[in-house]
Amino acid sequence: MTSFSENLINALPNAPVAWCVLPNHYHLLIRSGDLKGLVQSLGKLHGRTSFQWNREEKRRGRKIWHGTSDRAIRDSGHFWASLNYIHHNPVRHGYAQTWQDWPWSSASDYLQEVGKKQAETVWKDYPILEYGKGWDDPAM
């Protein structure tokens, strides 16, 4: 996951605002003026990693990536709730007790940048509530 996280960040045209890689999916919050180019870059990354992982596991042709979806950020509340959701995703899926403990995300950089007090304020002011319901099943 460390290698994929590094490859993911390097495949992006600019640094993501927030990101999180889990064993079976990932989330990005990124500013992009070229969504088509961004999706193409991610598609190339998916192709390379699928080929590599199938070769390593001797499972030629197995489908690894099942699609991508994008969401336009509607307003500042949606932006901050998205950031919280991405950082909280390892907890949502049962991989970590706290989002700060997950090494494959931007959470530690975010905490270092804004500080614990500001991160707590953002968490309280922009709760995730039902965010992800219907498209990011916690059992996934």
Side-chain angles (χ1 to χ4, degrees):
M1 289 196 7
T2 299
S3 176
F4 178 76
S5 296
E6 291 168 359
N7 290 336
L8 174 63
I9 301 306
N10 290 332
L12 300 173
N14 53 343
V17 176
W19 61 274
C20 177
V21 173
L22 299 177
N24 60 353
H25 71 286
Y26 63 88
H27 295 277
L28 294 170
L29 177 58
I30 187 167
R31 291 180 176 95
S32 177
D34 180 14
L35 185 58
K36 183 178 179 181
L38 174 61
V39 171
Q40 286 175 339
S41 293
L42 293 174
K44 289 177 184 177
L45 172 66
H46 292 174
R48 287 191 306 272
T49 56
S50 292
F51 183 80
Q52 177 188 348
W53 294 343
N54 277 330
R55 185 184 46 177
E56 289 171 1
E57 297 176 11
K58 296 177 178 43
R59 297 186 66 175
R60 186 177 167 108
R62 174 181 55 141
K63 187 172 183 177
I64 295 183
W65 300 108
H66 298 276
T68 215
S69 67
D70 58 80
R71 305 275 188 280
I73 299 297
R74 296 183 302 269
D75 55 33
S76 63
H78 185 209
F79 173 88
W80 291 112
S82 296
L83 182 136
N84 284 336
Y85 182 81
I86 289 168
H87 287 154
H88 186 72
N89 214 246
V91 176
R92 174 180 174 82
H93 291 281
Y95 293 112
Q97 292 291 326
T98 67
W99 56 267
Q100 301 91 327
D101 296 334
W102 191 248
W104 300 287
S105 83
S106 57
S108 62
D109 292 337
Y110 170 70
L111 275 175
Q112 187 174 10
E113 183 179 326
V114 304
K116 184 177 179 180
K117 185 175 180 175
Q118 179 62 27
E120 287 174 348
T121 298
V122 169
W123 178 257
K124 290 175 187 169
D125 290 348
Y126 302 97
I128 59 175
L129 303 174
E130 297 291 316
Y131 204 113
K133 188 175 182 178
W135 54 268
D136 189 18
D137 180 10
M140 184 167 96

